[in-house]
């Protein structure tokens, strides 16, 4: 298909959405390049799920436009839906059916034939380290396995853009790391990915670029390392009356004078590397 040659997998222009009195999205602009993983990062209620639901056609926006590989999403909604894979925040698998049965139903809904479904399912279950569970009922799987199966299901019809809504929410740290590895592999195979998360370290580890969303607005977009460097390399946390204030420095030398001054004044101090969380907290102060 010729439109797949477009450089941008997704372009969102000035998206607005209100739920009665709540203005959930206040003019969202976003771009995802082909092959890129963009993390939409923000706290609960920031507007992440609403954005994903609009992109996947589950909710209509009040205003704004969506372009998918350069083409207007609204005009040819049905056509583009096949090129999208959606992993919702809620696990909506059929618990009483087996892993393979869940995948077969999804494949048939996307007009795949049985051979195609089996071949693709085998390939993806292998990637997800679920091959030995294909005959198990979903209710017998762990939380981490169910989340990986959700991703396998979303990839079954070979979408070009994968939408992952909080894919590791509620998972143990070591299971989360396994999930990150799986998501990286999917991206390496050429799928563009939009991932929402409120875990800063998840965005830092996985994303080529992050977009900070707060209160229905995108506050900043950039590469994690660039955003961090703009603030500094080292953070000096100063504790006083159960509060902490952070100062940022480009190198250790520039920090030493401040450390001396604050130590003399009797403050408790901690030195650490700057993270995306610092970037976000600073953005909130400025907005
Ligand atoms: P979370 O991480 O908690 O899912 P989020 O960033 O995905 O948060 P959204 O679910 O998009 O945020 O919600 C954005 C705002 O819109 C919130 O204030 C939320 O309460 C409100 N909202 C979302 N869905 C609805 C709905 N169906 N009806 C009314 N308000 C809604």
């Amino acid at each position: 298909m010729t439109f797949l040659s477009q450089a941008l997998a997704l372009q969102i222009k000035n998206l607005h959405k209100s739920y009665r009195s709540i203005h959930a999205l206040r003019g969202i602009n976003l771009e995802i390049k082909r092959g890129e993983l963009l993390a939409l990062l923000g706290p609960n209620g920031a507007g992440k799920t609403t954005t994903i639901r609009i992109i996947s056609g589950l909710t209509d926006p009040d205003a704004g436009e969506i372009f998918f590989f350069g083409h207007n999403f609204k005009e040819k909604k049905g056509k583009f839906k096949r090129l999208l894979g959606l992993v919702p925040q809620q696990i909506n698998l059929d618990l009483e059916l087996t892993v393979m049965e869940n995948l077969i139903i999804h494949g048939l809904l996307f007009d795949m034939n049985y051979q195609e479904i089996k071949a693709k399912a085998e390939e993806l279950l292998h990637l997800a380290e679920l091959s030995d569970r294909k005959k198990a009922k979903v209710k017998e799987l762990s939380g981490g396995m169910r989340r990986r199966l959700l991703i396998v299901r979303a990839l079954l019809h070979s979408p070009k853009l994968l939408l992952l809504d909080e894919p590791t929410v509620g998972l143990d740290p070591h299971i989360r790391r396994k999930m990150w590895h799986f998501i990286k592999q999917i991206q390496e195979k050429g799928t563009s990915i939009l991932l929402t998360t409120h875990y800063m370290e998840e965005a830092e580890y996985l994303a080529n670029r992050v977009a900070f969303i707060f209160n229905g607005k995108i506050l900043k977009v950039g590469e994690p390392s660039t955003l961090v460097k703009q603030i500094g390399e080292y953070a000096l946390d100063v504790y006083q009356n159960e509060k902490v204030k952070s100062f940022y420095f480009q190198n250790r030398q520039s920090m030493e004078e401040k450390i001396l001054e604050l130590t003399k004044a009797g403050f408790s101090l901690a030195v650490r590397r700057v993270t995306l969380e610092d970037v976000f907290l600073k953005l909130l102060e400025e907005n």
Side-chain angles (χ1 to χ4, degrees):
M1 280 180 265
T2 51
F3 62 80
L4 292 183
S5 63
Q6 294 286 333
L8 291 179
L10 181 77
Q11 189 175 24
I12 298 174
K13 289 185 182 172
N14 201 25
L15 215 56
H16 281 266
K17 176 73 183 174
S18 289
Y19 300 102
R20 289 184 209 94
S21 61
I22 298 168
H23 200 168
L25 302 185
R26 301 161 185 254
I28 298 284
N29 293 293
L30 266 187
E31 287 179 355
I32 301 181
K33 296 169 196 154
R34 283 191 71 181
E36 181 178 48
L37 191 151
L38 182 105
L40 190 57
L41 183 59
N44 291 334
K48 305 182 296 293
T49 298
T50 302
T51 305
I52 290 262
R53 285 182 61 84
I54 291 174
I55 297 168
S56 52
L58 295 172
T59 301
D60 284 327
D62 298 333
E65 285 180 300
I66 299 174
F67 296 87
F68 191 47
F69 293 93
H71 291 246
N72 193 311
F73 187 77
K74 207 170 179 182
E75 284 167 15
K76 299 172 187 169
K77 215 167 167 179
K79 184 174 176 181
F80 294 131
K81 255 185 168 168
R82 282 188 63 88
L83 297 170
L84 285 177
L86 172 65
V87 177
Q89 209 174 116
Q90 270 78 32
I91 296 178
N92 60 355
L93 297 158
D94 195 324
L95 301 183
E96 294 300 328
L97 297 183
T98 67
V99 165
M100 196 49 109
E101 285 164 349
N102 268 276
L103 296 176
I104 289 169
I105 289 173
H106 179 89
L108 293 175
L109 286 172
F110 277 84
D111 295 330
M112 294 169 74
N113 68 42
Y114 192 69
Q115 271 69 34
E116 259 182 295
I117 296 172
K118 277 221 59 162
K120 195 72 190 174
E122 298 281 357
E123 176 197 327
L124 291 168
L125 289 172
H126 176 72
L127 195 67
E129 296 179 32
L130 287 172
S131 294
D132 56 342
R133 308 310 297 261
K134 63 187 169 202
K135 290 183 182 154
K137 285 192 175 176
V138 171
K139 68 180 179 189
E140 295 158 12
L141 302 183
S142 69
M145 288 175 185
R146 290 178 197 188
R147 291 229 163 255
R148 294 208 297 283
L149 179 57
L150 272 182
I151 298 182
V152 167
R153 188 184 63 179
L155 289 171
L156 196 76
H157 59 281
S158 305
K160 299 291 170 213
L161 176 66
L162 184 63
L163 307 170
L164 295 170
D165 195 4
E166 299 267 5
T168 68
V169 76
L171 297 181
D172 290 343
H174 72 288
I175 304 286
R176 176 172 298 144
R177 296 228 156 232
K178 200 167 172 176
M179 191 71 140
W180 290 354
H181 178 63
F182 180 40
I183 293 169
K184 275 252 189 225
Q185 282 181 298
I186 294 163
Q187 186 194 9
E188 278 162 16
K189 285 179 179 287
T191 310
S192 312
I193 301 176
L194 172 63
L195 170 143
T196 78
T197 183
H198 61 269
Y199 298 119
M200 303 283 167
E201 73 279 19
E202 181 158 298
E204 204 151 8
Y205 182 85
L206 283 176
N208 301 108
R209 290 187 307 141
V210 296
F212 286 103
I213 183 169
F214 184 68
N215 219 357
K217 281 188 194 155
I218 301 290
L219 300 183
K220 196 156 197 162
V221 185
E223 291 174 18
S225 60
T226 309
L227 294 173
V228 164
K229 269 189 209 134
Q230 282 169 359
I231 293 194
E233 190 168 351
Y234 294 98
L236 177 65
D237 293 336
V238 183
Y239 296 89
Q240 191 187 24
N241 302 332
E242 294 178 11
K243 282 190 183 153
V244 56
K245 178 163 175 48
S246 304
F247 295 89
Y248 302 107
F249 301 88
Q250 290 299 343
N251 52 55
R252 284 190 84 100
Q253 287 87 330
S254 60
M255 194 168 45
E256 271 164 15
E257 203 176 315
K258 192 81 181 167
I259 291 179
L260 211 61
E261 172 200 324
L262 291 166
T263 313
K264 271 188 191 159
F267 288 104
S268 299
L269 308 175
V271 175
R272 58 181 176 80
R273 295 262 177 188
V274 174
T275 67
L276 271 186
E277 194 155 347
D278 294 295
V279 178
F280 185 54
L281 292 174
K282 227 166 172 282
L283 277 173
L284 290 190
E285 274 174 24
E286 290 162 12
N287 281 274

